[in-house]
Amino acid sequence: MDFDPDSLPPRRWLLRGGLAVLICVLLAPAAYAAINPQTVGLGPGTVEEPADNVTYVTSQGFHFDGYGNPKKPARLAAADANAQPRWSFDGDAVGAHWFYDVDPMDNGDLFVTATNPEGTIAMEFDPETQEAVRTVEFDLTDTHNIDRIDEHRMLIANMRAYEDGVSNDRIYIRNVTAGETEWEWVFHEHYPNGTAGGFNEDWTHVNDAEFVGDGERYVLASPRNFDQAIVIDRRTDDIVMQLGENSDHETLYAQHNPDYMERDDGTPVMVVADSENDRVVEYERNCGDADPRLGAGTPPSECEWELVWSVDGFNWPRDADRLPNGNTLVADTLNHRVVEITPDGEVVWEFHAPWAPYDAERGEKGSNGPTMADMNAGGNATVHGGDDSGPASRYTVADAIADGGNAVGLGNAEELASRWAHFEPWIRPVWMGSWAMVSALFAALIALVWGGAELVVNRQRVAARVRSGVDGVGNRIRGD
Protein backbone atom coordinates (compact mmCIF):
# COMPACT_ATOMS: atom_id res chain seq x y z
CA MET A 1 0.00 0.00 0.00
CA ASP A 2 1.42 3.41 -1.00
CA PHE A 3 2.01 6.01 1.71
CA ASP A 4 -0.20 9.07 1.37
CA PRO A 5 1.15 12.01 3.44
CA ASP A 6 -2.17 13.82 3.05
CA SER A 7 -3.82 11.03 5.01
CA LEU A 8 -2.01 12.07 8.19
CA PRO A 9 -4.44 12.90 11.03
CA PRO A 10 -5.36 16.54 11.81
CA ARG A 11 -3.10 16.53 14.86
CA ARG A 12 -0.23 17.04 12.42
CA TRP A 13 -1.40 20.65 12.22
CA LEU A 14 -1.58 20.85 15.98
CA LEU A 15 2.01 19.61 16.15
CA ARG A 16 3.11 22.25 13.68
CA GLY A 17 1.34 24.95 15.63
CA GLY A 18 2.86 23.75 18.89
CA LEU A 19 6.36 23.78 17.40
CA ALA A 20 5.84 27.29 16.07
CA VAL A 21 4.71 28.50 19.49
CA LEU A 22 7.67 26.78 21.18
CA ILE A 23 10.14 28.40 18.80
CA CYS A 24 8.59 31.81 19.43
CA VAL A 25 8.80 31.27 23.20
CA LEU A 26 12.45 30.22 22.94
CA LEU A 27 13.29 33.24 20.80
CA ALA A 28 11.53 35.65 23.16
CA PRO A 29 14.53 36.09 25.53
CA ALA A 30 16.78 36.96 22.58
CA ALA A 31 14.21 39.45 21.29
CA TYR A 32 13.92 41.01 24.73
CA ALA A 33 17.71 41.20 24.99
CA ALA A 34 17.86 42.98 21.64
CA ILE A 35 15.46 45.63 22.97
CA ASN A 36 16.99 45.71 26.47
CA PRO A 37 20.64 44.68 26.00
CA GLN A 38 22.55 43.34 29.00
CA THR A 39 25.86 44.83 28.02
CA VAL A 40 27.93 46.84 30.48
CA GLY A 41 29.95 49.62 28.91
CA LEU A 42 33.41 50.90 29.69
CA GLY A 43 33.18 52.33 33.18
CA PRO A 44 33.02 51.77 36.94
CA GLY A 45 31.56 48.90 38.87
CA THR A 46 32.04 48.65 42.61
CA VAL A 47 34.50 51.14 44.09
CA GLU A 48 34.97 50.75 47.84
CA GLU A 49 38.53 52.05 47.88
CA PRO A 50 39.59 54.62 45.24
CA ALA A 51 42.84 53.73 43.48
CA ASP A 52 46.01 55.66 44.23
CA ASN A 53 47.00 55.90 40.56
CA VAL A 54 45.73 55.62 37.00
CA THR A 55 44.96 52.09 35.86
CA TYR A 56 45.83 51.17 32.26
CA VAL A 57 43.96 48.30 30.62
CA THR A 58 44.33 46.51 27.30
CA SER A 59 41.30 44.73 25.87
CA GLN A 60 42.06 41.99 23.39
CA GLY A 61 38.99 42.48 21.25
CA PHE A 62 37.49 40.00 18.80
CA HIS A 63 38.71 39.39 15.26
CA PHE A 64 38.47 36.12 13.37
CA ASP A 65 39.68 35.43 9.83
CA GLY A 66 39.58 39.10 8.98
CA TYR A 67 36.20 39.70 10.58
CA GLY A 68 36.14 42.24 13.39
CA ASN A 69 33.16 42.70 15.67
CA PRO A 70 32.77 46.44 16.32
CA LYS A 71 30.96 45.67 19.57
CA LYS A 72 33.97 43.68 20.79
CA PRO A 73 36.73 46.23 20.22
CA ALA A 74 40.44 45.97 20.78
CA ARG A 75 41.51 49.02 22.76
CA LEU A 76 43.78 50.59 25.30
CA ALA A 77 41.97 52.44 28.07
CA ALA A 78 42.74 54.42 31.22
CA ALA A 79 40.63 54.51 34.38
CA ASP A 80 40.92 57.10 37.14
CA ALA A 81 40.84 56.57 40.90
CA ASN A 82 37.08 55.97 40.89
CA ALA A 83 37.18 53.65 37.85
CA GLN A 84 35.78 56.31 35.56
CA PRO A 85 37.23 56.09 32.05
CA ARG A 86 39.71 58.86 31.31
CA TRP A 87 40.23 57.96 27.67
CA SER A 88 40.04 55.03 25.25
CA PHE A 89 42.30 54.37 22.26
CA ASP A 90 41.00 52.20 19.41
CA GLY A 91 43.37 49.66 17.89
CA ASP A 92 42.33 50.60 14.36
CA ALA A 93 44.34 53.82 14.74
CA VAL A 94 47.59 51.81 14.49
CA GLY A 95 46.31 48.83 12.51
CA ALA A 96 45.98 46.63 15.60
CA HIS A 97 43.36 43.89 15.72
CA TRP A 98 44.33 42.70 19.19
CA PHE A 99 45.92 44.41 22.19
CA TYR A 100 47.98 42.44 24.70
CA ASP A 101 50.75 43.53 27.08
CA VAL A 102 51.06 47.08 28.42
CA ASP A 103 53.95 48.39 30.54
CA PRO A 104 54.53 51.85 32.05
CA MET A 105 57.79 53.45 30.91
CA ASP A 106 60.12 55.65 32.97
CA ASN A 107 59.14 58.76 30.97
CA GLY A 108 55.43 58.27 31.67
CA ASP A 109 54.61 56.72 28.29
CA LEU A 110 53.25 53.22 27.83
CA PHE A 111 54.84 50.36 25.93
CA VAL A 112 52.18 48.23 24.29
CA THR A 113 52.21 44.96 22.34
CA ALA A 114 49.56 44.64 19.63
CA THR A 115 49.02 42.32 16.68
CA ASN A 116 47.20 41.96 13.38
CA PRO A 117 47.12 39.17 10.78
CA GLU A 118 50.27 40.53 9.14
CA GLY A 119 52.45 40.67 12.24
CA THR A 120 53.18 42.29 15.60
CA ILE A 121 53.40 45.96 16.58
CA ALA A 122 55.44 47.33 19.48
CA MET A 123 54.05 50.76 20.30
CA GLU A 124 55.23 53.56 22.53
CA PHE A 125 52.12 55.49 23.51
CA ASP A 126 51.77 58.92 25.10
CA PRO A 127 48.80 58.84 27.51
CA GLU A 128 48.70 62.65 27.68
CA THR A 129 48.08 63.11 23.95
CA GLN A 130 46.63 59.62 23.38
CA GLU A 131 48.91 59.15 20.41
CA ALA A 132 51.46 56.56 19.34
CA VAL A 133 54.85 58.27 19.38
CA ARG A 134 56.75 55.30 17.97
CA THR A 135 55.86 51.96 16.45
CA VAL A 136 58.10 49.06 15.45
CA GLU A 137 56.67 46.26 13.34
CA PHE A 138 57.80 42.65 13.44
CA ASP A 139 57.06 39.79 11.08
CA LEU A 140 55.86 37.68 14.00
CA THR A 141 52.50 35.96 14.42
CA ASP A 142 50.32 36.70 17.45
CA THR A 143 53.04 37.85 19.85
CA HIS A 144 51.56 38.66 23.26
CA ASN A 145 54.55 40.23 24.97
CA ILE A 146 57.45 42.50 23.97
CA ASP A 147 59.37 44.27 26.74
CA ARG A 148 61.35 47.40 26.02
CA ILE A 149 64.87 47.12 27.47
CA ASP A 150 66.21 50.44 26.25
CA GLU A 151 65.95 52.70 23.23
CA HIS A 152 67.45 50.06 20.95
CA ARG A 153 66.67 46.63 22.41
CA MET A 154 63.56 44.59 23.09
CA LEU A 155 62.90 41.25 24.82
CA ILE A 156 60.40 39.23 22.78
CA ALA A 157 58.28 36.15 23.55
CA ASN A 158 57.91 34.60 20.10
CA MET A 159 55.11 32.03 19.81
CA ARG A 160 53.69 30.31 16.70
CA ALA A 161 57.12 30.13 15.06
CA TYR A 162 56.20 26.97 13.14
CA GLU A 163 57.77 25.97 9.85
CA ASP A 164 58.13 22.67 7.98
CA GLY A 165 56.71 20.68 10.88
CA VAL A 166 59.11 22.13 13.46
CA SER A 167 58.34 24.63 16.21
CA ASN A 168 60.95 27.32 16.68
CA ASP A 169 59.11 29.10 19.48
CA ARG A 170 61.68 31.15 21.33
CA ILE A 171 62.56 34.05 23.60
CA TYR A 172 65.07 36.49 22.20
CA ILE A 173 66.58 39.96 22.48
CA ARG A 174 66.43 42.07 19.36
CA ASN A 175 68.43 45.21 18.71
CA VAL A 176 65.94 46.97 16.45
CA THR A 177 68.38 49.79 15.67
CA ALA A 178 71.15 47.50 14.48
CA GLY A 179 68.75 44.87 13.13
CA GLU A 180 70.51 42.12 15.07
CA THR A 181 69.47 39.37 17.47
CA GLU A 182 71.72 39.50 20.54
CA TRP A 183 70.46 36.38 22.33
CA GLU A 184 67.87 33.70 21.80
CA TRP A 185 66.56 30.70 23.68
CA VAL A 186 64.68 28.14 21.56
CA PHE A 187 62.25 25.88 23.42
CA HIS A 188 62.82 22.70 21.43
CA GLU A 189 66.49 22.79 22.43
CA HIS A 190 65.49 22.49 26.11
CA TYR A 191 62.27 20.45 26.09
CA PRO A 192 61.47 17.05 24.53
CA ASN A 193 59.86 17.54 21.16
CA GLY A 194 56.85 15.52 22.32
CA THR A 195 55.99 17.97 25.13
CA ALA A 196 52.32 19.04 25.16
CA GLY A 197 51.43 16.62 22.38
CA GLY A 198 54.35 17.48 20.10
CA PHE A 199 55.10 20.21 17.60
CA ASN A 200 52.20 22.17 16.15
CA GLU A 201 51.47 25.71 15.02
CA ASP A 202 50.99 26.83 18.63
CA TRP A 203 53.32 24.51 20.54
CA THR A 204 54.30 26.60 23.58
CA HIS A 205 52.00 29.63 23.39
CA VAL A 206 54.67 31.48 25.36
CA ASN A 207 52.75 34.57 26.45
CA ASP A 208 55.23 36.42 28.67
CA ALA A 209 58.93 37.12 29.05
CA GLU A 210 60.52 39.64 31.41
CA PHE A 211 63.69 40.19 33.40
CA VAL A 212 63.62 39.33 37.10
CA GLY A 213 66.18 39.95 39.81
CA ASP A 214 68.87 42.54 39.25
CA GLY A 215 70.07 43.35 35.76
CA GLU A 216 69.45 41.28 32.63
CA ARG A 217 70.69 37.87 33.72
CA TYR A 218 67.42 36.10 34.55
CA VAL A 219 64.35 35.86 32.31
CA LEU A 220 60.95 34.74 33.57
CA ALA A 221 58.86 33.11 30.83
CA SER A 222 55.39 31.60 30.60
CA PRO A 223 54.99 28.74 28.10
CA ARG A 224 51.23 28.50 28.56
CA ASN A 225 50.71 25.17 26.83
CA PHE A 226 53.39 23.57 29.04
CA ASP A 227 51.48 24.58 32.22
CA GLN A 228 54.54 26.13 33.82
CA ALA A 229 56.43 29.32 34.57
CA ILE A 230 60.22 29.15 34.24
CA VAL A 231 63.25 31.29 35.03
CA ILE A 232 66.15 31.09 32.58
CA ASP A 233 69.76 32.00 33.41
CA ARG A 234 71.07 33.79 30.32
CA ARG A 235 74.69 33.03 31.28
CA THR A 236 74.15 29.29 31.03
CA ASP A 237 70.77 29.02 29.22
CA ASP A 238 69.69 26.66 32.01
CA ILE A 239 66.22 26.64 33.54
CA VAL A 240 66.99 27.54 37.15
CA MET A 241 63.40 27.70 38.43
CA GLN A 242 60.32 25.85 37.27
CA LEU A 243 56.84 26.23 38.72
CA GLY A 244 54.50 23.53 37.41
CA GLU A 245 55.02 20.95 34.70
CA ASN A 246 53.36 19.74 31.54
CA SER A 247 49.80 18.49 32.19
CA ASP A 248 50.06 19.05 35.96
CA HIS A 249 46.82 20.99 36.05
CA GLU A 250 46.65 20.97 39.83
CA THR A 251 49.56 23.43 39.98
CA LEU A 252 48.99 25.55 36.88
CA TYR A 253 46.70 25.13 33.90
CA ALA A 254 47.39 27.27 30.81
CA GLN A 255 48.57 30.23 32.90
CA HIS A 256 49.26 33.81 31.84
CA ASN A 257 51.64 36.56 32.90
CA PRO A 258 53.40 35.29 36.06
CA ASP A 259 55.04 37.87 38.34
CA TYR A 260 58.20 37.12 40.30
CA MET A 261 58.52 38.57 43.80
CA GLU A 262 60.61 37.88 46.89
CA ARG A 263 59.73 37.73 50.56
CA ASP A 264 61.67 39.99 52.88
CA ASP A 265 64.05 37.07 53.54
CA GLY A 266 64.69 36.59 49.80
CA THR A 267 62.48 33.52 49.31
CA PRO A 268 61.21 33.46 45.71
CA VAL A 269 57.48 33.91 45.20
CA MET A 270 55.33 33.81 42.07
CA VAL A 271 51.88 35.33 41.63
CA VAL A 272 50.15 33.85 38.60
CA ALA A 273 46.88 34.18 36.72
CA ASP A 274 46.04 30.47 36.62
CA SER A 275 43.71 30.93 33.70
CA GLU A 276 42.07 27.59 32.92
CA ASN A 277 41.64 26.95 36.65
CA ASP A 278 39.80 30.30 36.88
CA ARG A 279 41.87 31.47 39.82
CA VAL A 280 44.80 33.62 40.93
CA VAL A 281 47.54 31.90 42.93
CA GLU A 282 50.67 32.64 44.92
CA TYR A 283 53.44 30.07 45.35
CA GLU A 284 56.59 30.08 47.49
CA ARG A 285 59.75 28.18 46.63
CA ASN A 286 60.93 25.64 49.22
CA CYS A 287 64.24 23.86 48.68
CA GLY A 288 64.47 22.12 52.05
CA ASP A 289 67.92 22.63 53.53
CA ALA A 290 69.20 24.18 50.29
CA ASP A 291 69.07 27.89 49.51
CA PRO A 292 65.91 28.72 47.50
CA ARG A 293 66.94 32.21 46.50
CA LEU A 294 67.52 33.35 42.93
CA GLY A 295 71.19 33.02 42.08
CA ALA A 296 71.92 30.46 44.80
CA GLY A 297 72.35 27.74 42.19
CA THR A 298 69.91 25.25 43.71
CA PRO A 299 68.52 23.20 40.79
CA PRO A 300 64.75 22.97 40.23
CA SER A 301 64.79 19.22 40.95
CA GLU A 302 65.68 19.89 44.61
CA CYS A 303 62.86 22.37 45.19
CA GLU A 304 59.11 22.41 45.54
CA TRP A 305 56.61 25.22 45.20
CA GLU A 306 54.04 25.56 47.97
CA LEU A 307 50.64 27.10 47.31
CA VAL A 308 50.17 29.76 49.99
CA TRP A 309 47.25 31.74 48.55
CA SER A 310 44.53 31.30 45.96
CA VAL A 311 41.33 33.09 44.98
CA ASP A 312 38.96 31.28 42.63
CA GLY A 313 35.67 32.28 41.02
CA PHE A 314 37.10 34.29 38.09
CA ASN A 315 36.39 33.54 34.43
CA TRP A 316 39.70 32.98 32.65
CA PRO A 317 41.89 35.60 34.38
CA ARG A 318 45.00 36.53 32.38
CA ASP A 319 46.88 38.99 34.55
CA ALA A 320 47.38 39.42 38.29
CA ASP A 321 49.66 42.07 39.84
CA ARG A 322 50.34 42.59 43.54
CA LEU A 323 49.85 46.25 44.42
CA PRO A 324 51.91 48.15 47.01
CA ASN A 325 48.91 48.21 49.38
CA GLY A 326 48.84 44.40 49.46
CA ASN A 327 45.79 44.01 47.24
CA THR A 328 45.93 42.30 43.85
CA LEU A 329 44.89 43.77 40.49
CA VAL A 330 43.30 41.12 38.25
CA ALA A 331 42.22 41.12 34.61
CA ASP A 332 39.10 38.94 34.89
CA THR A 333 38.99 38.40 31.14
CA LEU A 334 35.70 36.72 30.31
CA ASN A 335 33.84 38.65 32.99
CA HIS A 336 35.06 41.68 31.00
CA ARG A 337 36.36 43.57 33.99
CA VAL A 338 39.47 44.49 35.97
CA VAL A 339 39.20 44.18 39.74
CA GLU A 340 41.32 45.00 42.75
CA ILE A 341 40.81 42.37 45.44
CA THR A 342 41.90 42.11 49.06
CA PRO A 343 43.78 39.00 50.27
CA ASP A 344 40.43 37.43 51.22
CA GLY A 345 39.03 37.96 47.71
CA GLU A 346 36.80 40.98 48.29
CA VAL A 347 36.38 43.33 45.31
CA VAL A 348 37.19 46.88 46.40
CA TRP A 349 37.68 48.44 42.96
CA GLU A 350 36.12 47.37 39.66
CA PHE A 351 36.39 48.64 36.11
CA HIS A 352 34.22 47.17 33.37
CA ALA A 353 36.43 46.76 30.30
CA PRO A 354 34.66 44.98 27.46
CA TRP A 355 35.82 43.20 25.43
CA ALA A 356 38.15 40.54 27.00
CA PRO A 357 40.71 42.58 28.99
CA TYR A 358 44.17 41.05 28.79
CA ASP A 359 46.51 43.16 30.91
CA ALA A 360 46.09 45.79 33.62
CA GLU A 361 48.82 47.97 35.10
CA ARG A 362 48.83 50.55 37.86
CA GLY A 363 51.88 52.42 39.09
CA GLU A 364 55.44 52.02 37.91
CA LYS A 365 56.68 48.90 36.15
CA GLY A 366 57.88 46.30 38.63
CA SER A 367 56.30 48.04 41.61
CA ASN A 368 55.10 44.76 43.12
CA GLY A 369 53.75 44.91 46.62
CA PRO A 370 54.29 42.61 49.60
CA THR A 371 54.00 38.85 49.53
CA MET A 372 51.31 37.06 51.50
CA ALA A 373 53.88 35.83 54.02
CA ASP A 374 55.09 39.39 54.68
CA MET A 375 51.49 40.43 55.33
CA ASN A 376 50.81 37.40 57.56
CA ALA A 377 48.07 36.49 55.10
CA GLY A 378 47.24 33.61 52.80
CA GLY A 379 44.77 30.76 52.46
CA ASN A 380 42.04 30.00 49.92
CA ALA A 381 39.10 32.23 49.06
CA THR A 382 36.49 32.92 46.39
CA VAL A 383 36.23 36.33 44.79
CA HIS A 384 33.18 38.16 46.09
CA GLY A 385 31.60 41.57 45.91
CA GLY A 386 31.51 43.63 42.76
CA ASP A 387 28.76 45.20 40.71
CA ASP A 388 25.42 43.39 40.97
CA SER A 389 24.62 44.33 37.37
CA GLY A 390 27.95 43.23 35.88
CA PRO A 391 28.62 40.01 33.93
CA ALA A 392 30.30 38.35 36.91
CA SER A 393 27.13 38.58 39.02
CA ARG A 394 24.83 36.82 36.56
CA TYR A 395 23.75 33.22 37.02
CA THR A 396 24.83 31.71 33.73
CA VAL A 397 24.38 28.46 31.84
CA ALA A 398 27.85 27.45 33.05
CA ASP A 399 26.68 27.87 36.65
CA ALA A 400 23.66 25.68 35.91
CA ILE A 401 25.87 23.01 34.32
CA ALA A 402 28.03 22.92 37.44
CA ASP A 403 25.13 22.95 39.91
CA GLY A 404 23.03 20.45 37.97
CA GLY A 405 25.94 18.14 37.32
CA ASN A 406 26.97 18.14 40.97
CA ALA A 407 23.36 17.50 42.03
CA VAL A 408 23.16 14.32 39.94
CA GLY A 409 26.69 13.21 40.76
CA LEU A 410 28.30 14.01 37.40
CA GLY A 411 32.01 13.75 38.15
CA ASN A 412 33.27 16.19 35.52
CA ALA A 413 30.53 18.80 35.96
CA GLU A 414 32.96 21.52 37.05
CA GLU A 415 35.22 20.87 34.07
CA LEU A 416 32.28 20.93 31.64
CA ALA A 417 31.04 24.17 33.19
CA SER A 418 34.48 25.73 32.91
CA ARG A 419 34.80 24.69 29.27
CA TRP A 420 31.44 26.21 28.42
CA ALA A 421 32.20 29.40 30.35
CA HIS A 422 35.44 29.85 28.38
CA PHE A 423 33.86 29.07 24.99
CA GLU A 424 30.47 30.74 25.19
CA PRO A 425 31.53 34.43 25.42
CA TRP A 426 33.38 34.16 22.10
CA ILE A 427 30.26 33.12 20.17
CA ARG A 428 27.62 35.08 22.08
CA PRO A 429 26.57 38.54 20.85
CA VAL A 430 27.53 41.15 23.43
CA TRP A 431 23.93 42.35 23.81
CA MET A 432 22.60 38.89 24.59
CA GLY A 433 22.74 37.11 27.93
CA SER A 434 23.95 33.56 28.43
CA TRP A 435 20.46 32.08 28.82
CA ALA A 436 19.02 34.04 25.90
CA MET A 437 21.70 32.67 23.59
CA VAL A 438 21.14 29.06 24.66
CA SER A 439 17.39 29.53 24.27
CA ALA A 440 17.92 30.90 20.75
CA LEU A 441 20.20 27.96 19.90
CA PHE A 442 17.50 25.50 21.00
CA ALA A 443 14.97 27.39 18.85
CA ALA A 444 17.31 27.14 15.86
CA LEU A 445 17.86 23.42 16.48
CA ILE A 446 14.12 22.74 16.70
CA ALA A 447 13.51 24.78 13.55
CA LEU A 448 16.26 22.87 11.75
CA VAL A 449 14.87 19.46 12.74
CA TRP A 450 11.32 20.54 11.92
CA GLY A 451 12.40 21.89 8.55
CA GLY A 452 14.20 18.64 7.78
CA ALA A 453 11.13 16.61 8.70
CA GLU A 454 8.90 18.80 6.54
CA LEU A 455 11.32 18.39 3.66
CA VAL A 456 11.16 14.61 3.98
CA VAL A 457 7.34 14.61 4.16
CA ASN A 458 7.06 16.96 1.20
CA ARG A 459 9.36 14.77 -0.85
CA GLN A 460 7.22 11.75 0.02
CA ARG A 461 4.09 13.70 -0.92
CA VAL A 462 5.56 14.70 -4.27
CA ALA A 463 6.79 11.16 -4.87
CA ALA A 464 3.34 9.77 -4.03
CA ARG A 465 1.66 12.19 -6.42
CA VAL A 466 4.13 11.36 -9.18
CA ARG A 467 3.50 7.65 -8.67
CA SER A 468 -0.24 8.29 -8.70
CA GLY A 469 0.05 10.22 -11.95
CA VAL A 470 2.19 7.55 -13.57
CA ASP A 471 -0.25 4.85 -12.47
CA GLY A 472 -3.14 6.90 -13.93
CA VAL A 473 -1.38 7.26 -17.26
CA GLY A 474 -0.62 3.55 -17.27
CA ASN A 475 -4.20 2.70 -16.52
CA ARG A 476 -5.44 4.85 -19.39
CA ILE A 477 -2.94 3.27 -21.75
CA ARG A 478 -4.08 -0.19 -20.72
CA GLY A 479 -7.70 0.89 -21.06
CA ASP A 480 -8.49 0.16 -17.44
Side-chain angles (χ1 to χ4, degrees), residues 175-231:
N175 188 316
V176 296
T177 303
E180 298 175 350
T181 296
E182 296 184 356
W183 170 82
E184 70 174 1
W185 195 89
V186 182
F187 280 89
H188 76 238
E189 296 175 356
H190 302 273
Y191 285 88
N193 294 351
T195 304
F199 290 156
N200 57 59
E201 293 184 0
D202 189 21
W203 187 43
T204 68
H205 201 93
V206 55
N207 54 44
D208 189 41
E210 60 186 64
F211 291 121
V212 296
D214 296 328
E216 301 175 9
R217 177 175 176 179
Y218 297 104
V219 176
L220 170 64
S222 172
R224 186 198 75 174
N225 290 348
F226 292 2
D227 305 312
Q228 56 193 259
I230 59 175
V231 176

Side-chain angles (χ1 to χ4, degrees), residues 44-217:
T46 292
V47 178
E48 300 290 342
E49 299 177 7
D52 61 359
N53 214 319
V54 177
T55 304
Y56 298 109
V57 179
T58 57
S59 290
Q60 177 182 336
F62 181 91
H63 278 75
F64 181 75
D65 285 346
Y67 164 74
N69 188 329
K71 293 185 179 297
K72 296 181 178 180
R75 58 188 169 192
L76 171 67
D80 67 14
N82 293 308
Q84 293 287 347
R86 297 184 64 168
W87 50 259
S88 175
F89 179 78
D90 196 313
D92 289 342
V94 290
H97 287 193
W98 301 271
F99 273 131
Y100 291 111
D101 190 67
V102 56
D103 289 320
M105 296 170 57
D106 292 339
N107 64 358
D109 288 350
L110 305 174
F111 194 80
V112 185
T113 305
T115 64
N116 57 40
E118 286 70 49
T120 296
I121 303 166
M123 174 179 70
E124 295 182 23
F125 182 84
D126 185 344
E128 295 298 323
T129 63
Q130 290 106 64
E131 294 179 342
V133 296
R134 181 192 183 195
T135 59
V136 179
E137 297 186 13
F138 297 87
D139 186 19
L140 302 173
T141 302
D142 199 30
T143 300
H144 287 20
N145 179 242
I146 298 177
D147 269 15
R148 180 184 184 276
I149 303 172
D150 55 38
E151 183 180 354
H152 307 289
R153 299 181 302 146
M154 299 180 187
L155 176 65
I156 302 171
N158 179 200
M159 68 168 80
R160 302 187 195 271
Y162 184 75
E163 187 176 2
D164 298 329
V166 176
S167 172
N168 290 304
D169 288 4
R170 60 179 177 158
I171 302 160
Y172 69 107
I173 294 175
R174 182 71 173 174
N175 188 316
V176 296
T177 303
E180 298 175 350
T181 296
E182 296 184 356
W183 170 82
E184 70 174 1
W185 195 89
V186 182
F187 280 89
H188 76 238
E189 296 175 356
H190 302 273
Y191 285 88
N193 294 351
T195 304
F199 290 156
N200 57 59
E201 293 184 0
D202 189 21
W203 187 43
T204 68
H205 201 93
V206 55
N207 54 44
D208 189 41
E210 60 186 64
F211 291 121
V212 296
D214 296 328
E216 301 175 9
R217 177 175 176 179

